[in-house]
């Protein structure tokens, strides 16, 4: 069974540009989460989808971040326009039916904003 | 809000020896879940062990075991017979059962180096 995959693995962009990160969860997992770790700090929660619905987006830093999960399968996280402080590693995780099920993580996307 | 603290930013251990990584947390909830995740240098973060707070028995997975002290809000990870492949960042994480979003709250991580 394939694990959680993320694309790209690394992205380098200029300040003000747009970047879209993609996450493919484990097949059959209803719950999909986005987290990020900025340099030297803890991994922080961004948002949680249950199927195609946003269950909790309390961790989204501002309106420059837009997450979607059309059809309840893969998810995208768009940053527009990117700022220097957005640099970090963005992780996606998925879990099965219940929200308290174990979350399985993808390898992360390292975003560098210059 | 919950907080998770890992007081050891870096640790090292000789191969075949035992090492314990510490984790403390703060919560007002009674039912919750605790996790240890491992992120090797290749970056994929994987689950090491999971503990439900309502279970008194400490979770064990092969060479990995936890010492869960609910009253003290402590959740340490013991790695026995350390192997070179155990070299990684280790993250302690908390999930509240009453939290509608079921988000994980992470500690800052402990970088473990296993030396030959």
């Amino acid at each position: 069974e394939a694990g959680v995959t993320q694309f790209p693995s690394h992205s380098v962009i200029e300040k003000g540009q747009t970047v879209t990160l993609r996450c493919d969860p484990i097949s059959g997992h209803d719950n999909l989460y986005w987290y990020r770790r900025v340099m030297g700090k803890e991994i922080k929660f961004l948002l949680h989808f249950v199927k195609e619905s946003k269950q909790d987006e309390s961790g989204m830093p501002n309106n420059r971040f837009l997450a979607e999960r059309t059809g309840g399968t893969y998810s995208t996280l768009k940053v527009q326009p990117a700022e220097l402080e957005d640099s970090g590693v963005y992780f996606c995780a998925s879990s099965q039916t219940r929200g308290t099920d174990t979350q399985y993580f993808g390898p992360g996307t390292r975003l560098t904003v210059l | 809000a919950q907080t998770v603290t890992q007081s050891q930013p870096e640790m090292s251990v000789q191969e075949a020896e035992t090492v314990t990584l510490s984790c403390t947390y703060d919560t007002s909830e009674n039912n919750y879940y605790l996790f240890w995740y491992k992120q090797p240098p290749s970056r994929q973060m994987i689950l090491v062990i999971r503990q439900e707070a309502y279970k008194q028995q400490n979770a064990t997975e092969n060479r990995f075991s936890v010492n869960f002290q609910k009253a003290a809000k402590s959740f340490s990870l013991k790695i026995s017979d350390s192997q070179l492949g155990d070299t990684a960042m280790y993250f302690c994480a908390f999930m509240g059962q009453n939290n509608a979003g079921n988000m994980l709250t992470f500690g800052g991580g402990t970088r473990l180096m296993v030396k030959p």
Side-chain angles (χ1 to χ4, degrees), chain B residues 64-75:
Chain B
F64 298 87
S65 62
V66 298
N67 183 5
F68 174 46
Q69 301 288 328
K70 190 173 183 180
K73 296 180 182 174
S74 172
F75 183 61

Side-chain angles (χ1 to χ4, degrees), chain B:
Chain B
Q2 290 83 13
T3 59
V4 178
T5 301
Q6 293 179 249
S7 60
Q8 305 149 316
E10 293 186 355
M11 292 191 72
S12 64
V13 63
Q14 291 296 130
E15 193 175 10
E17 293 188 346
T18 295
V19 63
T20 298
L21 309 184
S22 67
C23 173
T24 58
Y25 58 93
D26 189 24
T27 183
S28 58
E29 297 187 39
N30 190 49
N31 295 319
Y32 48 86
Y33 304 84
L34 295 163
F35 305 83
W36 278 99
Y37 282 90
K38 164 187 175 181
Q39 187 179 27
S42 62
R43 294 196 301 154
Q44 185 91 37
M45 191 151 56
I46 57 175
L47 178 70
V48 175
I49 204 162
R50 167 187 169 123
Q51 174 84 42
E52 288 82 4
Y54 62 86
K55 291 185 177 179
Q56 293 185 343
Q57 187 172 5
N58 288 327
T60 298
E61 287 289 339
N62 300 316
R63 297 181 296 106
F64 298 87
S65 62
V66 298
N67 183 5
F68 174 46
Q69 301 288 328
K70 190 173 183 180
K73 296 180 182 174
S74 172
F75 183 61
S76 61
L77 175 70
K78 184 172 81 171
I79 307 174
S80 303
D81 186 24
S82 297
Q83 300 176 359
L84 297 179
D86 295 334
T87 292
M89 279 289 290
Y90 286 81
F91 295 98
C92 178
F94 171 101
M95 178 195 292
Q97 189 172 18
N98 297 327
N99 182 334
N102 298 116
M103 69 180 77
L104 288 169
T105 300
F106 285 89
T110 295
R111 185 177 303 279
L112 176 67
M113 172 76 71
V114 180
K115 298 179 178 179

